[in-house]
Amino acid sequence: MKIEKSGYDVWGRSRTNGTKILVPPYLENAFKDMMNETGISIKVLRRNIKSVVDRSRKARRQNTRRFIGTSKNSFDFDRFLRYEEIINFIHNLVRHSKYAEIINIGNSFEGRPIIGLKIEGSKNIPKIFIDAGIHAREWAAPITALYLMKMMVDHEDTLHEKISIYVIPVVNPDGYEYSHTVDRFWRKTRSRIDGTECVGTDANRNFNSHWAEFGASPDPCSDIFPGLEAFSEPETQAIRDTILAIEPDLYLTFHSYGPMLLYPWGFTKSLPSNWQELDKLAKIAAHKLKQLNGQDYTIGSSANVLYLASGASDDWAMQVAKVPLVYTMELPDYGEGFITPIEKIKPMVRETYKAFKVFVKYVCALRHINCS
Ligand SMILES: [Zn+2]
């Protein structure tokens, strides 16, 4: 069924929870008929998603305060930030840090700088690379990356010269801004190609690892269009070049929604050679995370927990860039899909930080460094 091109919006597919689809009101009856004919059972999870979007907009307006001041603590993680605010947030952190520096890894299709933060020590210490926001509508991801940045700077005296950490909070700033201003559920980049009115590539299908083989559509109008060729997008080129230059010990990429902590592969149901290490570490991280708010995470390989999809950054990082430890973290949805309720931001980012600390401790311990 060509569900991607016909006005429906696939929000999530999972082996255990079925497929979640946003159905526009004008297609409701047609959708029901189609499901009846195919014998697929359906359950309505939420009737009026627009009301959720409206409520989230209203909350954002109420919580908007200008925090572009002098204190690094003036933003309280009580709303989602626009891209310009995120840049200001990073500049503020750097201003109040001894070791943190801004990294600019390239420009988006529309010319926005793709920036982040690093705390870098000498060459022979372990390195962690984190990114978020490759999928525009998954706002839970960038806000979590920002919180990790803030905690990095708060603890920089302990971390410095023990571990180097690099964070890019919004890989796809064009899409992110578009999801704020025009279409809340925009997923792709905003690149244009000749011969079609349809805009954007699924950047997380654009990496050169079994590119366009699974979980992608050649239709440029599809939400899972992988581009005309691998690394067609300046955003994925920037991530590729950065990972190749850093050679991290661990790569963590934030998405929503899950909650799931996934390791490669996405292109096959077979598992990487170190899957037992990946699985064990994920379980420890999820256990620590759960202690804070009781949040449960599903753990496993992408293809086994979700579905076959290739050309994603996590598979590429492990297969081509040879990063030994790679995770995709699908943050919780709290029953609202991509519209993370703003009162859930704080519990979400804090519990994620618990998992992050487990990763930090582990990569340090591999080199006999104590980073706790
Ligand atoms: Zn995603």
Side-chain angles (χ1 to χ4, degrees), residues 288-334:
K288 272 282 174 201
L289 180 155
K290 190 179 175 177
Q291 284 175 350
L292 200 60
N293 307 309
Q295 181 69 60
D296 262 315
Y297 265 74
T298 302
I299 292 163
S301 84
S302 300
N304 284 298
V305 174
L306 289 169
Y307 42 85
L308 283 175
S310 58
S313 69
D314 52 357
D315 272 14
W316 175 85
M318 180 170 274
Q319 194 205 355
V320 182
K322 306 292 178 203
V323 182
L325 302 166
V326 175
Y327 292 101
T328 292
M329 193 154 181
E330 298 274 1
L331 295 157
D333 81 315
Y334 305 103

Side-chain angles (χ1 to χ4, degrees), residues 94-107:
V94 169
R95 258 200 295 280
H96 292 88
S97 160
K98 274 190 284 195
Y99 306 113
E101 291 172 61
I102 289 181
I103 38 174
N104 185 339
I105 65 166
N107 287 317

Side-chain angles (χ1 to χ4, degrees), residues 135 138 187 255-256 330:
H135 285 146
E138 299 169 7
R187 168 180 166 98
H255 287 251
S256 82
E330 298 274 1

Side-chain angles (χ1 to χ4, degrees), residues 118-134:
K118 69 173 177 185
I119 291 183
E120 193 175 44
S122 50
K123 276 203 161 49
N124 51 353
I125 59 175
K127 289 167 273 187
I128 291 183
F129 179 73
I130 297 167
D131 69 28
I134 194 167

